[in-house]
């Protein structure tokens, strides 16, 4: 059977078209798609199987969850352009699906914010359960040390530990967090530390969403996401936003877990993602215009990885 026939047969169903429209917004789990469409997971899984067989979607198993994304842009781009042209006057159902998806995501984001508010005081201990934090911080310094830090942005700063570690080596530093409770704790902590440690007078804390940071493009030389990305509903978008901030030659350092099977962390510690592979991180870096360097691996109960991406010196 020809590829084109397989593709058009896969598209000849309204539910599968709705699924593709949702996947254009972000990577989604099968459960999220089922919730938005108001259908059972087994039924959605059957539709997904057809889309995957046609190369229109790709699936990735992560613990007990299955995440879906669109197929390659090279194969799928012309098809999306045609669908947009054909359906530009008939998008009411698509708009309704996107609105329901936004509602689902809002509920989950609010649950995560409640978790951060409740656990702010114990945040440093929570983030250091799996590999000794001293080993992680030493690796961070090794990765960033060969070059000046310049203007530092810490995304998802939490209690401000990365500012405490790196701000004395930077020309300026700003930490963003969405949680007011985290920011209150960070301000108190940095004020106390600043009495005994020079170099923190150039650090500031601001409220901000990692998907839409209130900072101009090119405003950072180094951006750091330390144990933040596994809370992201849309990791690729968070990386793209971080990359937007980088000046030519700027660097993005992501510190997070390698893939694991600890399902309990979803419910107990509000983790959305059970770690990240080198391949996915390299793909997201490339899509954001960053060159991925060789990752650093730290083994523990859960393996921690340090991924460094760099924007070209000419800014492209």
């Amino acid at each position: 059977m020809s590829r084109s026939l397989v593709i058009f047969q896969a598209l000849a169903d309204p539910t599968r078209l709705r699924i593709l429209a949702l996947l254009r917004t972000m990577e989604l789990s099968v459960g999220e798609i089922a919730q938005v469409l108001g259908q059972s997971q087994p039924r959605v899984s059957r539709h997904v199987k057809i889309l995957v067989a046609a190369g229109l979607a790709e699936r990735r198993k992560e613990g007990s969850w299955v995440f879906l994304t669109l197929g390659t842009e090279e194969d799928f781009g012309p098809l999306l352009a045609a669908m947009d042209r054909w359906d530009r006057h008939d998008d009411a159902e698509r708009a309704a699906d996107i609105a329901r998806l936004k509602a689902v995501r809002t509920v989950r984001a609010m649950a995560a914010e409640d978790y951060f508010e409740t656990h702010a005081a114990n945040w440093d201990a929570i983030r250091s359960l799996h590999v000794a934090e001293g080993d992680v911080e030493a690796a961070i310094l090794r990765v960033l040390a060969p070059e000046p830090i310049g203007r530092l942005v810490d995304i998802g700063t939490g209690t401000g530990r990365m500012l405490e570690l790196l701000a004395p080596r930077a020309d300026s530093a700003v930490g963003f967090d969405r949680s007011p409770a985290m920011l209150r704790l960070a301000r108190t902590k940095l004020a106390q530390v600043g009495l005994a440690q020079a170099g923190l007078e150039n650090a500031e804390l601001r409220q901000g969403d990692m998907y839409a940071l209130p900072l101009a493009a090119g405003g950072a030389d180094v951006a750091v996401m330390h144990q933040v990305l596994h809370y992201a509903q849309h990791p690729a978008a968070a990386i793209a936003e971080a990359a937007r901030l980088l000046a030519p030659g700027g660097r993005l350092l992501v510190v997070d877990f390698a893939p694991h099977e600890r399902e309990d962390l979803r419910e107990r510690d509000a983790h959305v993602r059970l770690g990240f592979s080198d391949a996915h991180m390299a793909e997201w870096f490339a899509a954001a215009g960053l060159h991925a360097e060789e990752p650093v691996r730290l083994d523990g109960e859960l393996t921690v990885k340090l991924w460094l991406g760099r924007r070209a010196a000419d800014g492209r």
Side-chain angles (χ1 to χ4, degrees):
M1 186 182 296
S2 70
R3 175 86 192 283
S4 59
L5 183 56
V6 171
I7 288 175
F8 282 108
Q9 284 183 338
L11 293 174
D13 183 278
T15 296
R16 292 195 284 275
L17 287 173
R18 292 170 69 189
I19 291 173
L20 291 178
L22 290 172
L23 293 180
R24 292 183 69 177
T25 65
M26 65 186 71
E27 186 179 70
L28 296 168
S29 71
V30 172
E32 288 170 328
I33 295 172
Q35 189 172 354
V36 170
L37 299 183
Q39 299 182 10
S40 67
Q41 286 204 31
R43 184 176 179 183
V44 168
S45 294
R46 287 195 294 272
H47 287 300
V48 165
K49 183 177 180 180
I50 294 171
L51 292 172
V52 170
L56 299 176
E58 296 177 358
R59 55 185 291 155
R60 177 174 56 81
K61 193 170 188 303
E62 187 179 286
S64 63
W65 287 23
V66 175
F67 286 91
L68 299 168
T69 188
L70 291 179
T72 62
E73 175 67 23
E74 181 179 355
D75 291 338
F76 206 56
L79 182 59
L80 291 177
M83 291 168 63
D84 286 340
R85 183 175 180 83
W86 295 333
D87 297 338
R88 64 182 184 274
H89 300 303
D90 184 26
D91 59 357
E93 186 175 55
R94 181 184 306 179
D97 283 346
I98 297 300
R100 284 191 291 271
L101 175 61
K102 184 177 180 180
V104 169
R105 289 297 196 178
T106 298
V107 169
R108 296 196 177 188
M110 290 176 63
E113 286 187 26
D114 289 344
Y115 173 83
F116 297 144
E117 293 285 313
T118 302
H119 294 85
N122 302 317
W123 192 242
D124 287 338
I126 291 172
R127 296 213 296 192
S128 62
L129 289 175
H130 310 291
V131 173
E133 196 64 16
D135 293 340
V136 176
E137 292 177 1
I140 290 172
L141 292 175
R142 286 196 302 273
V143 168
L144 295 177
E147 302 170 39
I149 290 178
R151 298 166 297 174
L152 171 69
V153 176
D154 181 24
I155 301 169
T157 193
T159 62
R161 175 55 191 162
M162 287 298 100
L163 293 181
E164 184 182 347
L165 179 71
L166 298 174
R169 297 168 170 82
D171 296 332
S172 64
V174 57
F176 289 102
D177 206 288
R178 187 171 179 175
S179 167
M182 287 291 188
L183 291 172
R184 287 193 298 270
L185 189 62
R187 288 190 179 98
T188 301
K189 180 181 178 183
L190 292 180
Q192 293 171 343
V193 172
L195 295 176
Q197 178 179 326
L200 291 179
E201 64 276 358
N202 64 343
E204 63 174 311
L205 292 160
R206 297 170 60 184
Q207 189 169 21
D209 190 313
M210 63 180 163
Y211 300 114
L213 294 165
L215 196 65
D221 298 304
V222 171
V224 176
M225 302 179 76
H226 174 235
Q227 294 291 11
V228 170
L229 207 60
H230 59 253
Y231 294 105
Q233 299 284 352
H234 193 359
I239 287 176
E241 175 64 0
R244 180 188 67 82
L245 305 181
L246 296 179
R251 296 171 290 164
L252 168 62
L253 178 62
V254 177
V255 182
D256 220 298
F257 297 122
H260 61 85
E261 301 295 326
R262 288 283 302 275
E263 285 286 343
D264 59 302
L265 295 180
R266 292 196 199 274
E267 296 299 325
R268 192 190 72 192
D269 291 337
H271 289 203
V272 176
R273 310 301 294 268
L274 300 184
F276 304 96
S277 69
D278 293 344
H280 274 100
M281 199 64 68
E283 177 184 333
W284 292 333
F285 276 13
L290 305 179
H291 169 72
E293 300 188 2
E294 188 68 24
V296 174
R297 177 187 179 102
L298 301 173
D299 289 317
E301 180 185 350
L302 294 181
T303 296
V304 171
K305 284 286 194 76
L306 287 76
W307 293 278
L308 187 70
R310 184 187 299 271
R311 183 170 295 287
D314 60 6
R316 288 183 300 175

